[in-house]
Amino acid sequence: MTQSIQVFGQFQAELTLPDQFKLIASDSRTRNHETVTVERYQMTEPVVMNGPHVTVVYGDDGRLISYNNFAERSTTGIPSKREAVAIAKRLFQKLDPQYARDLSYMRVDQLSRSFVDDANRQVAIPIMWVKFAHANGSYNWVSVGAGGQVIEMEREFEWDYWQSRRATEEWNYDDWVLARMGLAPQPAAPEALA
C-alpha cells in the first residue's frame, strides 16, 4: 500500500513514500536562519547516504519546505513540459494557496537525479524541473518524473548572486550533507557552500 507524507496532519497523495519505507531519522537543522525539521525515510537503518531514500523538510510552523524522493524506478516516460507545469502549479496550490498566489512561472528544464541501489549501481531518475520565482525574492520548484510522479518539491530557496550559487542550506541533498560533515568535497556551484 502506497504511503504519503503529511502536511498539517493531512496526507498528501502526490508526495509518496515507497513501500516499506519508514522514518529512520528526524533532526533539527537551520535553513535560511529558521529552525527546520529534517526527516529521512528508508527501508532500514542506519542512514545510507546517497542510497534509496526520501528526505522531507518542515518549517518551524509545520509547512512543507522540501520533499525529495530519491528511490523511484520507472520505465514509463516523463510528462511533457505543459503537463509538468500543471502538476507543479496544482501541488503548490494544494500545499499553500496563499503562497502559490505570489509564484511566477520561470521555466522547465529536463534534468536527472539519481541514487545508488543496493547493488552499488547508479540509478537515474529523469525529471522535468519546473522553476518559479516568488514575490518574496525566493526560488521554488517541483520536479516531475515518470508517470507524473512528484520527485522533488522545494520552496523558499535563496540565491547568492555574488558567488553564483545557492545561499540556502541543502539538508535535502546527501552530497551537500556529506561535505558539511567534512566527509566529502564541496559540491560545485550552483550548490550551496557546505
Side-chain angles (χ1 to χ4, degrees):
M1 177 181 207
T2 301
Q3 309 170 75
S4 301
I5 68 160
Q6 291 186 53
V7 180
F8 297 120
Q10 300 293 317
F11 286 101
Q12 304 298 318
E14 301 86 354
L15 305 174
T16 61
L17 296 171
D19 289 340
Q20 301 176 355
F21 268 41
K22 61 185 177 185
L23 179 65
I24 63 159
S26 181
D27 299 296
S28 291
R29 301 287 185 227
T30 301
R31 180 186 186 274
N32 292 342
H33 309 288
E34 174 186 4
T35 300
V36 297
T37 301
V38 181
E39 295 183 348
R40 187 177 184 101
Y41 296 83
Q42 294 179 181
M43 275 183 110
T44 59
E45 295 182 59
V47 169
V48 177
M49 298 303 275
N50 288 314
H53 69 281
V54 172
T55 301
V56 182
V57 179
Y58 294 100
D60 62 5
D61 61 355
R63 75 192 183 288
L64 179 65
I65 291 177
S66 72
Y67 161 89
N68 298 79
N69 184 343
F70 297 144
E72 291 303 319
R73 301 173 189 254
S74 180
T75 56
T76 61
I78 58 176
S80 69
K81 287 184 177 184
R82 178 177 287 176
E83 292 168 322
V85 170
I87 290 167
K89 286 180 176 179
R90 275 196 310 270
L91 181 63
F92 274 122
Q93 181 65 33
K94 181 177 180 189
L95 290 173
D96 191 337
Q98 184 174 349
Y99 187 83
R101 278 195 293 271
D102 291 327
L103 289 172
S104 300
Y105 167 75
M106 293 180 69
R107 70 176 194 266
V108 178
D109 294 332
Q110 189 169 343
L111 303 172
S112 181
R113 300 294 187 244
S114 66
F115 65 92
V116 178
D117 70 11
D118 296 336
N120 207 29
R121 292 179 302 235
Q122 188 100 1
V123 178
I125 308 169
I127 58 170
M128 296 300 269
W129 185 73
V130 185
K131 185 175 182 181
F132 300 88
H134 193 275
N136 65 14
S138 73
Y139 297 101
N140 309 260
W141 64 78
V142 173
S143 296
V144 184
Q149 180 172 354
V150 174
I151 301 298
E152 300 174 307
M153 171 271 170
E154 185 167 3
R155 65 185 266 176
E156 301 163 35
F157 133 62
E158 297 174 359
W159 187 251
D160 181 340
Y161 290 93
W162 288 102
Q163 298 196 52
S164 295
R165 59 171 70 231
R166 284 177 57 120
T168 298
E169 296 86 349
E170 294 184 83
W171 300 109
N172 51 341
Y173 286 105
D174 284 357
D175 287 341
W176 184 89
V177 173
L178 287 167
R180 181 81 167 217
M181 296 167 59
L183 300 173
Q186 167 65 48
E191 304 307 328
L193 289 173

